[in-house]
Amino acid sequence: AKAAGRRTFVRYDDSMEIANRRRAQLSSALHKVLDRGELRLVFQPRLSLTTRRITGVEALLRWTSEEYGEIPPIQFIPLAEESGLILEIGEWVLLDACRTLQRWRQAGMTDLTVAVNVSVLQLLRGDFSESVRKALTETGLPPHALELELTESVLMANAEQTAAKLQALREMGVSLAIDDFGTGYSSLAYLKRLPITTLKIDKTFITDLNRDPDDTAITTTVITMAHSLGLTVVAEGVESETQLRFLDHFRCDEIQGHWLSRPVDPESCLRFIREWSPAAIG
Ligand code: C2E
Ligand code: CA
Ligand code: CA
Ligand code: CA
């Protein structure tokens, strides 16, 4: 038994070493992504339950590494944050997302908005609102067509400094969303104090909607609370018509998820939006 235990330990140790080696390899490959053009954005549409129309899209980052193939964002975003590379990558994302949206708007989709995920490092850096302004000026995208998605951890990281930065962005005219809402520790007081426009209910609550009474309670409470604070509520990770009907019934404003569309390349997304008919929900 002792020998077996030791073998298990050795194996565990090996797997740690393999994991660490992989992280180091990915991290070093990540430094070349921008030069090599290995990053691209995919887009996932968002649907208004009030108008039954597509209101906008969320830009999501994809990395296809020459050496390691497709690496999911949950693996490489943390590495990019550790190395600080997320700053450069984040600027690229912002610019590319704004450019794509402005192209679509000029092609007739004049009301569409784009949501871009922002890492805490980007926001805490001195000139983040300047990068945003630059992306808007360079692409011609109007500020109200851009929404920045921040996680609750961002808001808690440095409350004073963050509040001032968000205020500046809001004054510029961009919308501000709290992503993965309900998974962090932000208090209701923050919601009141910060110039937030949108709450995105985390998909973990949506998954078990109408099966788990707790998730149902949390979701309906968040919707009610958001509305009384004048915020737009978006449910993410909507995969079934049952979830959609439930969210519609409880007056959730917008939904996003595989039920509507997976995140897809820009051309496919534009085609999807063009061909979307409100009759699809009935
Ligand atoms: P997120 O911002 O919460 O994005 C939503 C994630 O849920 C995306 O995963 C999306 O593909 C996935 N998703 C959408 N609909 C459904 C659904 O119906 N069911 C399920 N199970 N999943 C759904 P993805 O693209 O793998 O991104 C993971 C996370 O990586 C994002 O979570 C975000 O935190 C981060 N991320 C992605 N792109 C960027 C970026 O450009 N910048 C930064 N800082 N983070 C990013
Ligand atoms: Ca997001
Ligand atoms: Ca989310
Ligand atoms: Ca997330």
Side-chain angles (χ1 to χ4, degrees):
K2 214 172 187 177
R6 207 162 142 234
R7 265 203 304 278
T8 310
F9 176 72
V10 169
R11 227 179 284 132
Y12 171 74
D13 204 42
D14 281 352
S15 75
M16 287 280 285
E17 204 178 301
I18 290 165
N20 285 335
R21 202 180 311 135
R22 170 147 175 104
R23 281 167 59 83
Q25 285 168 338
L26 285 184
S27 193
S28 122
L30 198 55
H31 278 88
K32 302 169 205 145
V33 287
L34 286 166
D35 294 339
R36 288 182 177 178
E38 291 180 345
L39 294 180
R40 72 202 150 85
L41 291 180
V42 288
F43 294 86
Q44 186 178 40
R46 212 157 102 177
L47 175 75
S48 162
L49 292 177
T50 326
T51 65
R52 301 324 211 202
R53 293 185 185 282
I54 307 290
T55 56
V57 294
E58 177 175 359
L60 293 157
L61 195 51
R62 294 292 178 264
W63 175 25
T64 312
S65 158
E66 192 187 304
E67 287 115 320
Y68 308 106
E70 182 90 24
I71 318 286
I74 46 159
Q75 272 182 37
F76 74 81
I77 299 274
L79 295 177
E81 284 175 337
E82 274 168 36
S83 63
L85 211 63
I86 192 70
L87 297 176
E88 244 181 289
I89 292 176
E91 298 235 320
W92 179 85
V93 168
L94 194 57
L95 197 63
D96 201 64
C98 291
R99 195 177 287 131
T100 299
L101 240 287
Q102 183 57 1
R103 206 171 63 224
W104 293 359
R105 289 170 64 93
Q106 283 170 340
M109 316 303 285
T110 47
D111 295 330
L112 283 186
T113 62
V114 63
V116 173
N117 293 285
V118 174
S119 148
V120 61
L121 275 182
Q122 288 175 273
L123 188 74
L124 291 182
R125 198 166 81 146
D127 55 354
F128 179 64
S129 61
E130 214 28 65
S131 327
V132 174
R133 196 189 302 277
K134 220 178 86 200
L136 294 172
T137 317
E138 255 174 58
T139 60
L141 188 75
H144 68 261
L146 176 65
E147 183 164 83
L148 300 173
E149 296 194 0
L150 310 149
T151 56
E152 289 172 273
S153 57
V154 172
L155 308 179
M156 305 302 285
N158 191 334
E160 285 296 299
Q161 208 191 337
T162 304
K165 293 195 172 193
L166 295 184
Q167 195 60 49
L169 288 163
R170 196 63 201 109
E171 278 162 19
M172 205 186 291
V174 305
S175 303
L176 301 172
I178 302 187
D179 204 355
D180 306 339
F181 188 75
T183 59
Y185 302 93
S186 63
S187 70
L188 301 182
Y190 277 95
L191 290 183
K192 201 184 129 204
R193 232 186 52 208
L194 296 170
I196 298 297
T197 51
T198 310
L199 288 189
K200 295 190 82 172
I201 305 176
D202 192 69
K203 57 178 173 290
T204 54
F205 301 112
I206 306 303
T207 305
D208 285 330
L209 216 56
N210 25 314
R211 269 200 304 265
D212 183 333
D214 294 335
D215 289 344
T216 309
I218 289 168
T219 300
T220 55
T221 305
V222 169
I223 293 171
T224 308
M225 179 199 68
H227 284 163
S228 59
L229 292 169
L231 306 174
T232 299
V233 203
V234 183
E236 61 176 27
V238 176
E239 294 181 350
S240 72
E241 175 138 358
T242 316
Q243 292 164 339
L244 181 143
R245 301 262 171 230
F246 183 96
L247 292 159
D248 193 28
H249 178 76
F250 283 99
R251 301 275 180 272
C252 181
D253 302 298
E254 300 185 23
I255 61 146
Q256 205 183 320
H258 294 169
W259 181 84
L260 184 65
S261 165
R262 285 173 186 271
V264 291
D265 65 85
E267 290 69 33
S268 307
C269 191
L270 180 59
R271 199 176 324 122
F272 177 86
I273 297 169
R274 281 195 198 284
E275 288 169 4
W276 169 257
S277 156
I281 320 182

